[in-house]
Amino acid sequence: MALGMAPKNGEACGVCGGRTYVLERRGDQAQARVCVCSESCSVCGGRGHVLVEREGVFSQKVGPRRYEVMEPCVCTRRRRRVSLFNEVGLPGVVSHAGFDNYRAFNEAQDRGRGVAMHFAHQYVKGGTDTKGGPAKGFILSGPVGTGKTHLLAATLAHLVLEVGVRARYVEISLLYATIRRGFQEGKSGGEIIGPLSDVEVLAIDELGKGRGSPFEMETLDELIARRYNAGRTTLFATNYSLEPEKKAPRAAAPPGYRTTEDARNAVREAELLRERVGERIYSRLCEMCTFVELPRDTPDRRRTRQEMDSPLHHAPGALRGAGR
């Protein structure tokens, strides 16, 4: 994004819109930087800290006394949060994802945005809810291209840049690949999982993806178990259904015979997240997260955009020819 001029007469900056930071894509990563309008700080004059007056009671005899302490300036906190955001690991393709530019095609998507936005705006740094317990995350389920990663990115961006939360994003199959490469370099899986276990908020994308090998299942189980036991908040997105269990079995077909309905049921069972991650992990997800499932007929936004931009869509007679 091009650099802009500092705002004048109290007007919002045309580059950052008043946020004081800019989000942009750098290679395959989403990155942040301090906006040009906020590079020079009028509060501390570039010192990075300010004196703040406080009041406290050090003895009952003396009573309240006022004193000054040195605190980081708002510009220092801004730079720290920008640095934290650049460690999250969000994909570059969602660098500009926000709640305001998420397009909902149906009521379920609108609810998904509402759940994510409420979580982000109500989250208290430290990971506790209003009752003092672990803050409950959410899991978004739906077909590909329905904006699940968009909402994860919007949530993490708000938590990191507006609240100052340390967070990470990981796509599960890439995590498996990273651990395998680590084995070749003499690293243990725990060395890679450790930082993901300890971070305050973790977003795991594409949950359930993979071959379901013992290595993958053990890795996923260890990561979720560590976070569950530590009471840390975790967000998820998956292409697999959140339905709790298989449908009741139909009457068995004769040996050697497989009906169309049998085949459909087998596919449907494979699409359940519970089948992909196992009972232990699924049970913990039920306690850790609010479930949001998007209908199977929710439009693929990427595909819809491509079809709308296609020359065939705009060609004369395209609609007439489509029905032939």
Side-chain angles (χ1 to χ4, degrees):
M1 183 178 292
L3 297 179
M5 299 298 293
K8 299 179 181 180
N9 302 322
E11 296 178 359
C13 173
V15 175
C16 69
R19 295 184 303 179
T20 71
Y21 56 84
V22 176
L23 300 180
E24 57 193 5
R25 181 174 185 169
R26 296 182 201 162
D28 63 349
Q29 294 284 299
Q31 297 282 278
R33 60 178 172 81
V34 176
C35 183
V36 65
C37 71
S38 302
E39 289 178 345
S40 299
C41 183
S42 59
V43 177
C44 68
R47 293 186 296 273
H49 56 269
V50 291
L51 282 174
V52 180
E53 192 174 74
R54 295 278 187 262
E55 183 178 288
V57 177
F58 299 96
S59 72
Q60 294 297 326
K61 182 178 181 179
V62 175
R65 296 190 61 181
R66 303 187 75 83
Y67 60 97
E68 289 185 331
V69 295
M70 196 82 73
E71 287 190 353
C73 179
V74 63
C75 66
T76 298
R77 293 198 298 269
R78 181 186 305 121
R79 287 194 296 270
R80 286 177 180 172
R81 291 181 181 186
V82 164
S83 179
L84 283 177
F85 181 85
N86 293 338
E87 297 173 358
V88 173
L90 281 171
V93 70
V94 290
S95 58
H96 296 96
F99 296 120
D100 56 346
N101 60 10
Y102 178 81
R103 184 181 178 189
F105 288 97
N106 54 44
E107 185 178 342
Q109 279 185 302
D110 197 48
R111 176 175 178 262
R113 174 175 53 189
V115 168
M117 188 160 47
H118 181 269
F119 170 86
H121 288 280
Q122 297 298 316
Y123 186 85
V124 177
K125 189 175 180 180
T128 58
D129 59 18
T130 55
K131 298 180 181 179
K136 195 170 186 178
F138 60 81
I139 177 168
L140 302 170
S141 165
V144 297
T146 51
K148 300 184 299 296
T149 304
H150 182 119
L151 290 176
L152 288 182
T155 301
L156 294 185
H158 180 89
L159 292 180
V160 176
L161 293 166
E162 301 296 337
V163 186
V165 173
R166 186 178 295 276
R168 287 286 301 276
Y169 166 93
V170 63
E171 198 269 275
I172 196 65
S173 63
L174 296 182
L175 173 62
Y176 298 149
T178 299
I179 295 176
R180 289 190 181 98
R181 287 195 300 271
F183 290 157
Q184 299 174 356
E185 299 169 1
K187 298 179 182 178
S188 67
E191 291 180 69
I192 298 172
I193 289 179
L196 298 178
S197 305
D198 297 334
V199 72
E200 184 169 333
V201 177
L202 174 67
I204 300 178
D205 207 351
E206 301 288 356
L207 181 65
K209 185 178 180 180
R211 294 173 294 180
S213 67
F215 159 74
E216 292 176 350
M217 297 302 289
E218 290 168 8
T219 298
L220 182 61
D221 184 72
E222 179 180 352
L223 176 56
I224 292 180
R226 285 192 184 191
R227 296 192 61 80
Y228 174 83
N229 293 333
R232 303 203 185 279
T233 303
T234 313
L235 315 177
F236 301 89
T238 181
N239 293 332
Y240 296 95
S241 173
L242 300 177
E243 291 181 16
E245 56 190 18
K246 306 174 187 177
K247 301 298 182 183
R250 298 171 63 90
Y257 177 73
R258 185 180 179 88
T259 66
T260 302
E261 188 64 23
D262 290 336
R264 288 175 179 169
N265 287 339
V267 171
R268 185 60 180 157
E269 290 169 8
E271 291 176 349
L272 297 182
L273 182 64
R274 185 173 186 167
E275 300 294 319
R276 298 293 302 180
V277 301
E279 293 289 339
R280 174 185 166 92
I281 292 176
Y282 184 84
S283 175
R284 288 179 169 175
L285 293 178
C286 292
E287 184 176 340
M288 296 168 70
C289 298
T290 298
F291 281 21
V292 180
E293 181 147 13
L294 307 180
R296 299 182 68 185
D297 59 355
T298 302
D300 181 336
R301 298 192 304 171
R302 292 186 290 265
R303 181 173 176 179
T304 301
R305 189 181 304 118
Q306 169 64 25
E307 291 172 348
M308 291 298 293
D309 293 341
S310 171
L312 292 176
H313 180 81
H314 302 285
L319 293 179
R320 292 193 302 270
R324 295 179 181 176

